[in-house]
Each structure stands twice: as C-alpha cells, then as structure tokens.
Amino acid sequence: MPHSLSQPRASNTPGDDAPDLLDTLVARARTGDRAAFTLLFERYNARICAYLARLVGDDDLGHDLAQETFLAVWRALPQLRDELRFEPWLYRIATNAARSHLRRGRTLQWLPWQDAESSEALATPGPEEHIGNSEAVSLALKHLSPQCRTCLLLQIEGGFSQREIADLLSISEKSVSAYVSRAREQFREVYRRLSGERQHCADQPHTQQPGGTAR
Amino acid sequence: MNIPMFSTATPCAQWAHLLAAQPGDLSPDQRAALDDHLATCATCATIRAEYRAMDSSIRALPAPQPLPALPPALLRLWEDEDQQRSKLRERATTATAAATVEPPLPVSLHSNGPRPLTRRHRVGAIFGSLVATLLIGALLGGYFLLVAGHRPAAKSTAPYGPVVDPAGPRPHLGAWRTIILPSGVPDRAAQLAMPGALGGQPTGGATIFQQPAVSGLLYLVAPPIETTPLRIWRSQDAGATWQPLPLPSSISALPSGASAYLYMSAGDPDTVFMWAYAVSPQRVELRLYSSDRGAHWSTFALPSGSDTWNVAAPSAAHGVWYLPVSVASQPAIWISTDHGAHWSAHAYPVTLPTHTIGQPATPSGIFLDLTYARGGLLWAYQHTLWWTPDYGAHWQALGAWGEQPCDALIQGTPDLAALYCMFSNGQQSWQSGTSLSSVALWRSTDHGRTWQPIPAGPDVTPSADDTHAYSYVTSKSVLRDGSLLTLASSRENAAQVAFYTLAPGANVWHEASAPLTPSQGYCAAPQGDLSTPGANGSSYPPAPPECAQPLDITVTSAPNGAQYIYLTHEPYNQITTPTYVAAITWK
C-alpha cells in the first residue's frame, strides 16, 4: 500500500540535522562505522574547537585538545550506553581533556569541584593588556575560575540546560546554578574593569603596551 | 560588537541564581515569580539585560578554525586496525592453503563437450532504456572484498585510508582457462537456431552474478530457451562446484528468450532478487525474491502505481528492502519491511524531474540507483555525493566533484577509502563498456568528501574520434586493494588491447602483467554507433568474422582468499560465447 511521499530532509551543514539522524550516526559509529564517525566529527568539529579554545583561552591548545577529544570519543564509543546522551557525553570528554591538560601543565589552577555555595575567593587580577572589544570578552572569560568558565560556556556555547550540565560534570544542579551565577557576576566585574582600562588607554594610547614602554 | 558597559549594581541575593539561568532552566512557577520581581526591581531588570548582552558577546567571539581533518592519531589507529585485520586474514589464508594440496581453483581445464557460457547480448532499442536501468543496478551493486592475504598497507600520506605504494606489488594475471559450467546450461547454438524473441537478435545468455559481501558466492542464471524454462545454480566456492536451485512454477510464464537478472547487496547476504522479463510475444515481468540464498523463491509486488520503466535495482539491507522507483511520475526510494506487502516512500534529497510513465527518466536511468556502503546508502547525482543512514529519511551531502556530473559510482573498498565516480558524457555504451574518449573519472580517498580527477583510462586511444575504444570500469572490476582494473580495447589499433590497473594512490595506468589473449584474442569492434542501435536492432553493423570483443569482466574472490577474473567475450558471427577465468596474483 503506497503511502504519500515524505518530504526530503536534507542537511548540508552540521547542526541542523534532525535528532534521529544523530542517533543513527552515533549507533553506527558505536559499531565501528568510520564513515558515520567522520560525519559526527564534521558535525561537532567547529563546536568542540570553539568550546575548548574558549575554555583554555588559547586556539592552538584548543585544537590539540579537540584532537585528543575526538580520538578519545572514538575509543570510548563502544562503552557509550545511551545514544541519546551523546552530545553531553562528548562535551564531558572535551571538558575532561581540558581539565587533565590544565592539571598536567599547571597552566591554570584547576580546583576540585566543590559545593559552589561555599565561599570561593574571586581571583580576578587586574588586567594590564591593551584590549579591544572582543578581546575584552575573551579576557573576561579567561579571568573566570575554571569551574565558573566551564559552566558558563556549557550553558552559552553548548546550549545545555543546567540539569544537563550537572549530569555532564557529575555535580549537583544547585552547584551548576551557583557557578553560572557567580560566573556572570565575575564576568561583569572583570569586563567592567577591562573596559575601564580600555577607556583609560584610549586617552593615552601608547602607555599601556604589554611589556613595552612609552614612546 | 557593541557591548554596553556593565553596571556596578548587584542583583538581589535571592534572585541571583534565577537571573543567571536560561529561561528553559526555570519552572513555569519560577518564571512567573521572576517576571513579577523584574516588574518591580529595576536593578535586577538591568542586570538581566546585561546577562543577555553577555551571552551575545560570548557567542559573537570570533570562532577558531576547526580541525582541518580527522586527528592524525585517529587515522594512524585506523591504519593499525586495518593492518591487524589483514594479518589475521593472512594467517587464515595460510592455514587454508596448508590444509589443501592444491589451491582450490574454481575452474577446470576446458574438456570435451564444452558448455560455453553466453553473456547478455544485444537487445533492441525498445529494450535499451529498461535494460540500461536494470544493468546499471548490477554494475553499481557495490563490491565488498572480504578477502584474505591483503598486501601490507603502505604508509599513508593521504588524510584517509591506505595509499598504495607505486613501487609495491602489482596485480598479475595468470593463464586463462575456459570455465566449466554446470551441466544443462544451454548452448548458444540452440538459442540462435530459434526464431529469437527479438527479431532474430540473440538474447540474454547465462550470466554470473556475485554476492558482494560473501567471498565465492556466485549465482548462474540461464534464461529460458525453447521449452527449457529459466534455471539457476549457486556456487559457494567461486565456481568450482554448482548446485541447481529450485524455482517456483510461475517461471513457466516466461517465454523463450526472456532475460533475467539478479540483484544483491552487501547489506544482506541471504536475500536475492530476481527480475525476469520478456516483451515478445507479449510483455511478461516476473519478480522473485529469496531470503535464503535461493533455496526458496516467492513473488513480490511493487508499490502500486509503479512506473516499471523507471525502476532501479531492488535490494535489501538489515531486513529492509529498498527499491528506487517512480510512482505517479515521482522518483522515490520505496521501503518495505514485510517482503513487499507494504511499501512506504522516502524522497531523494533533491527535487528530481518528473517524467511521463513509459518514458525513461534519463537516457540511462542511472540517477535513481543507490549503492549500499557501510550501513548506509550512497547516491551520486550530478555534482554531489549524498549519503543516507536510514534509506532516505535523512540525507547528508558528502562531497562534490568536478564540472561534469557523475554517472556511475564505483565503490573501491569496503570502507570507502577508495571511491570512484565515472562520467561518460551520455555516450555510455549499451554494454558495460564506455568509450574512452568520452569518459571522465574522479577518485576520492577520503570517504567521498574531496575528489580528484584521474586519467579515465589507459592511453590506448590513437585518435579522439576512436569512439569504440572501450574501457570497462565498473564496480565489478575493482581489485582487493582498491585498484581499478580495466580492459581497454581500441578499434583503430587492435594491438592495444590489454588489461590495465590504476592503483588507489597512483595517477598512471599500468598494463597488468601477462596481457590477455584468451583463445582468439581481440580485434576491432564493428563500425557504427553501437550506443544507439535501431528500433528493431537491425542497425547493428555487420561484423568482421574473425573478430571478438570483450563483453564483460567480473572480479570475484574465492573463499580461500584468491581473486579471479571472469571474462566473457563475444566472437562476432560465431556461435559460442565462452567465458574464461584467470587467477590474479600479486607480484
């Protein structure tokens, strides 16, 4: 019995696929299908690179970590229990890649996850760089504590709900809420300071080059 | 990016967390309460606006470049996996060989009482389009090589897949033998003695079909001749032995001279479709399927309203049948999970031209065909390669090639690390061969994402208008390392007839060692335009009596891992159409 034709649902760009295509790709990749995995890679490549670059504040390091992430994802895929949870799982692997790198390299101090309701000192050293507008945003992100930055980026960049972030990071939803709130307040404060610097620098454009001297 | 200066205000402590959340994180009650608060608290309202500006500013940060390709470490891992798999296969082959006194060649030497195998033959123009549609399905059926003794993979420099070392081993074609067919395969002499169903033109002879996913699994179909009905045999050892298979009584409806084709996909090794038809003395079509490798056959129905002029190869994968066919002038992929009792449709990812029932959609009808590969279906259309994991419910554009469209997609290796696309400028022969002078060929070594033009065939064409220089590049002629094998022949230079190979990483065709001269060898194809035979087949030119022309080559793998090439050639004005077989070795 013929049915009416369904409309084609073609997708050329990553991210606009229907969720069930994603499930199919993940299910196939789990069984070792390299073509499906390659499509998953293409779908998340840009997003994971952006997430990691902003999380560690360095594009090149973000690239290295993205490579690590996709390799780890391929290796761990057979253990993925629920295809529907692929995206949070992918971000969890990316986050862990960044955390272990930062711990290894001591580039940034990564404190253990703790109850965000407890007091945590705001470490926002005064910026000394001469900065532009998007640089101010990047720099403000950099000055957030890693936990706050992770939660904020997962919320804004990853598009995850607080419940998803909580699952992904294995912390309580309440802590996520607190980290996000604190992140936003830290961001406001740092950005305000940076913008203040910028205005100050605009008045005296040659005096605040990093490491430089006034000409 | 214009970001407002953030205020120094601090949010009310009890509302801070709700303000920082996204609307989706809040319950309806929380949202309502927050709205009430914002209506009365200007500070919190301001801060909320600042948070939204914060979101925008972070999202608007310049995006870093994505990775240019899959991580090199992952590609190395895949390469290692492939090598380990190859070693396991090699071990299995060695064990097989050690247990056997002689390698189980799938052939015996030609003895007395030869039973020559005929291949499909000329059909009138009235059949041209339909036959082309059906044939292309067979040609594009995909070729999965599950063989042992893979040669060591060379170090890869391409982003994906193994690239063959140009200095590495080359395929070597051994001596030719005439294949011995199961007893009862009709001699073409008997067929020619009959008043043919198509105005005296010889019609389809016995044909070998192979299951692309199972080494050595072959089927041989002999169409009905005189009072002998259609028959079918199966071999599980690449042709060394054959078992006759039972067929339902409904096949007696097929008149002498009817043609029959089998369709199989790598996605379901047990399912075989048979399509048999005749147009004279009346139009008869019979569609059968078997879910157990031919042990039992049943008929099945097409979707109602199917335009049988625009039907491509039916196939099955993972328990789902998929059939590209036009219904009500609209081409679609029809799907059945209950052996054709019910059908539903998925559309192609682009809007295809509608066409009148009875009129071929394109000169060759190629554009509907799908290739099963790695759990999904590939579809080449014009300049784009599409992939669907779910029979057309969703599509993803994989890659695109050059200026010319792709007519035929050739699957080089099971993991698609080698993939070819052929364009034949509308002059694709009614045979499987394609005129060299009108062919473009592209190769992809990265699962179809990027394509490079490669030489379409060995340079055997002495002049541009030598339109009957043939090259037989099909899915049936891909060697186990992904090399293309072609049999090139030239009308103007009979000496330039030989097999050539193109390795996956190479840009030069090499003549395969041991040039072929099965029995009589080849000479010039007849003059005239074979691609557009006359309406009743009468415009076929007279052929020089001494000449033979290769009809078809099929490369198949035996269970012991060896590869064989089957060659059917047709001596003009002669009675028999022998099939030959040679073993392929690597040197």
Side-chain angles (χ1 to χ4, degrees):
Chain A
M1 189 66 67
H3 298 217
S4 60
L5 294 183
S6 60
Q7 285 302 307
R9 280 171 285 168
S11 51
N12 288 305
T13 52
D16 65 353
D17 307 318
D20 43 349
L21 174 59
L22 174 63
D23 299 345
T24 312
L25 289 177
V26 173
R28 293 208 189 291
R30 271 174 62 181
T31 65
D33 185 334
R34 295 175 189 175
F37 183 81
T38 307
L39 293 176
L40 283 175
F41 165 76
E42 289 183 350
R43 183 188 168 107
Y44 288 105
N45 180 9
R47 282 171 65 184
I48 289 296
C49 283
Y51 170 67
L52 284 169
R54 278 155 205 177
L55 190 57
V56 299
D58 183 300
D59 285 4
D60 289 340
L61 179 55
H63 266 189
D64 292 347
L65 294 172
Q67 305 220 23
E68 225 173 87
T69 298
F70 285 110
L71 182 64
V73 165
W74 169 260
R75 285 191 162 130
L77 256 175
Q79 279 95 54
L80 175 63
R81 292 278 163 257
D82 181 2
E83 286 120 35
L84 300 177
R85 309 290 303 155
F86 174 76
E87 208 166 291
W89 180 78
L90 169 67
Y91 274 81
R92 183 214 291 263
I93 289 178
T95 307
N96 285 340
R99 285 174 68 181
S100 54
H101 173 86
L102 296 178
R103 276 210 205 94
R104 274 199 311 272
R106 299 190 185 282
T107 312
L108 282 172
Q109 191 187 11
W110 191 292
L111 301 170
W113 291 105
Q114 53 183 263
D115 185 357
E117 298 287 9
S118 69
S119 67
E120 185 189 320
L122 263 180
T124 53
E128 308 205 314
E129 290 89 345
H130 179 197
I131 43 174
N133 217 341
S134 68
E135 286 165 32
V137 174
S138 297
L139 209 50
L141 272 178
K142 267 191 198 179
H143 280 80
L144 303 185
S145 75
Q147 288 86 348
C148 288
R149 188 165 58 237
T150 305
C151 289
L152 189 66
L153 286 173
L154 286 171
Q155 186 188 56
I156 296 174
E157 286 269 344
F160 293 107
S161 71
Q162 293 192 353
R163 169 170 293 283
E164 286 171 322
I165 297 171
D167 287 349
L168 193 159
L169 298 174
S170 302
I171 56 177
S172 73
E173 211 176 327
K174 207 174 163 190
S175 292
V176 173
S177 176
Y179 278 126
V180 167
S181 173
R182 187 178 303 158
R184 289 185 176 283
E185 282 306 294
Q186 285 179 4
F187 188 99
R188 281 175 75 231
E189 184 183 336
V190 175
Y191 188 88
R192 203 166 50 231
R193 281 204 227 159
L194 293 170
S195 301
E197 287 291 339
R198 188 160 50 89
Q199 281 194 334
H200 174 69
C201 295
D203 298 336
Q204 297 171 310
H206 300 301
T207 57
Q208 294 283 335
Q209 294 291 347
T213 51
R215 279 175 278 177
Chain B
M1 186 167 48
N2 192 15
I3 304 165
M5 174 61 78
F6 292 120
S7 64
T8 53
T10 50
C12 300
Q14 68 270 37
W15 296 102
H17 288 190
L18 295 189
L19 276 176
Q22 300 290 1
D25 291 323
L26 306 180
S27 68
D29 287 350
Q30 285 176 316
R31 263 200 299 270
L34 181 62
D35 286 345
D36 288 348
H37 174 68
L38 292 176
T40 58
C41 177
T43 306
C44 281
T46 303
I47 288 172
R48 209 218 346 215
E50 290 178 6
Y51 285 172
R52 298 290 89 87
M54 186 185 299
D55 290 0
S56 308
S57 71
I58 291 173
R59 288 199 189 103
L61 281 173
Q65 284 292 313
L67 298 177
L70 282 167
L74 179 60
L75 297 174
R76 279 196 299 276
L77 180 74
W78 286 355
E79 208 172 285
D80 290 347
E81 286 174 3
D82 289 342
Q83 284 192 22
Q84 279 175 4
R85 231 172 271 151
S86 296
K87 277 180 197 153
L88 284 175
R89 285 198 210 108
E90 254 162 36
R91 248 175 257 153
T93 313
T94 312
T96 309
T100 321
V101 178
E102 278 180 42
L105 277 177
V107 292
S108 319
L109 285 173
H110 194 112
S111 58
N112 59 341
R115 300 189 178 277
L117 172 69
T118 55
R119 187 68 172 91
R120 60 173 175 272
H121 295 292
R122 302 193 170 116
V123 286
I126 189 166
F127 270 2
S129 305
L130 178 58
V131 169
T133 306
L134 294 169
L135 286 186
I136 293 302
L139 298 180
L140 298 184
Y143 192 70
F144 278 64
L145 302 171
L146 302 174
V147 297
H150 198 291
R151 33 188 302 237
K155 276 295 160 200
S156 173
T157 51
Y160 301 84
V163 171
V164 166
D165 177 5
R170 294 201 177 287
H172 196 92
L173 301 175
W176 290 90
R177 306 160 183 224
T178 308
I179 191 171
I180 298 299
L181 296 169
S183 62
V185 173
D187 192 306
R188 188 163 156 226
Q191 192 178 347
L192 286 177
M194 279 287 296
L198 291 169
Q201 287 296 322
T203 54
T207 306
I208 290 177
F209 298 90
Q210 60 176 327
Q211 215 300 327
V214 181
S215 293
L217 180 54
L218 302 177
Y219 297 84
L220 179 72
V221 178
I225 293 216
E226 292 188 303
T227 55
T228 310
L230 182 145
R231 281 159 304 159
I232 180 167
W233 292 262
R234 181 182 64 202
S235 171
Q236 306 196 70
D237 49 17
T241 58
W242 295 91
Q243 300 85 41
L245 299 174
L247 282 168
S249 57
S250 56
I251 55 128
S252 61
L254 292 167
S256 176
S259 299
Y261 298 93
L262 300 190
Y263 299 101
M264 289 166 274
S265 105
D268 185 343
D270 298 329
T271 298
V272 187
F273 293 90
M274 184 194 297
W275 203 300
Y277 65 92
V279 293
S280 173
Q282 71 275 338
R283 185 161 177 169
V284 179
E285 288 188 39
L286 189 61
R287 294 179 190 84
L288 301 172
Y289 75 94
S290 168
S291 301
D292 51 11
R293 304 193 180 189
H296 301 86
W297 294 88
S298 311
T299 55
F300 69 95
L302 295 178
S304 103
S306 289
D307 172 5
T308 53
W309 286 92
N310 288 295
V311 164
S315 214
H318 310 295
V320 178
W321 289 11
Y322 55 95
L323 171 76
V325 62
S326 285
V327 172
S329 297
Q330 184 62 54
I333 300 166
W334 289 81
I335 292 151
S336 175
T337 53
D338 53 9
H339 296 170
H342 301 87
W343 293 93
S344 61
H346 283 146
Y348 286 89
V350 298
T351 305
L352 293 169
T354 56
H355 40 79
T356 313
I357 287 186
Q359 297 293 316
T362 68
S364 60
I366 289 170
F367 72 89
L368 293 181
D369 285 287
L370 301 157
T371 303
Y372 178 87
R374 285 200 71 87
L377 300 175
L378 287 171
W379 183 56
Y381 183 63
Q382 296 199 344
H383 306 281
T384 309
L385 181 66
W386 296 87
W387 188 78
T388 174
D390 46 18
Y391 311 96
H394 304 88
W395 289 93
Q396 183 132 11
L398 284 187
W401 39 85
E403 294 167 12
Q404 289 140 321
C406 177
D407 283 347
L409 188 66
I410 300 166
Q411 190 178 324
T413 49
D415 62 356
L416 303 185
L419 199 58
Y420 300 89
C421 215
M422 188 172 69
F423 166 72
S424 61
N425 199 24
Q427 293 182 36
Q428 185 158 5
S429 162
W430 53 272
Q431 296 178 328
S432 55
T434 303
S435 166
L436 284 178
S437 57
S438 60
V439 170
L441 195 61
W442 292 271
R443 175 176 56 207
S444 170
T445 53
D446 58 1
H447 304 91
R449 266 158 205 82
T450 57
W451 292 83
Q452 300 80 38
I454 52 175
D459 185 19
V460 297
T461 312
S463 67
D465 60 356
D466 186 8
T467 53
H468 292 107
Y470 284 102
S471 173
Y472 292 79
V473 180
T474 75
S475 282
K476 295 194 293 183
S477 58
V478 183
L479 301 184
R480 66 187 180 206
D481 69 339
S483 292
L484 279 181
L485 177 77
T486 188
L487 173 56
S489 63
S490 162
R491 171 166 59 86
E492 294 187 1
N493 189 345
Q496 290 183 318
V497 177
F499 277 93
Y500 293 81
T501 59
L502 181 73
N507 283 315
V508 181
W509 288 84
H510 285 281
E511 188 172 329
S513 40
L516 294 185
T517 319
S519 122
Q520 305 134 293
Y522 303 116
C523 64
Q527 307 284 324
D529 185 2
L530 287 180
S531 62
T532 54
N536 59 2
S538 62
S539 67
Y540 283 117
E546 73 282 9
C547 279
Q549 180 179 328
L551 269 186
D552 192 25
I553 54 178
T554 300
V555 175
T556 193
S557 299
N560 69 350
Q563 271 195 307
Y564 298 93
I565 175 167
Y566 291 87
L567 167 77
T568 306
H569 80 160
E570 182 179 59
Y572 287 102
N573 290 3
Q574 291 189 25
I575 299 300
T576 57
T577 304
T579 290
Y580 298 92
V581 66
I584 299 167
T585 55
W586 296 81
K587 289 188 175 173

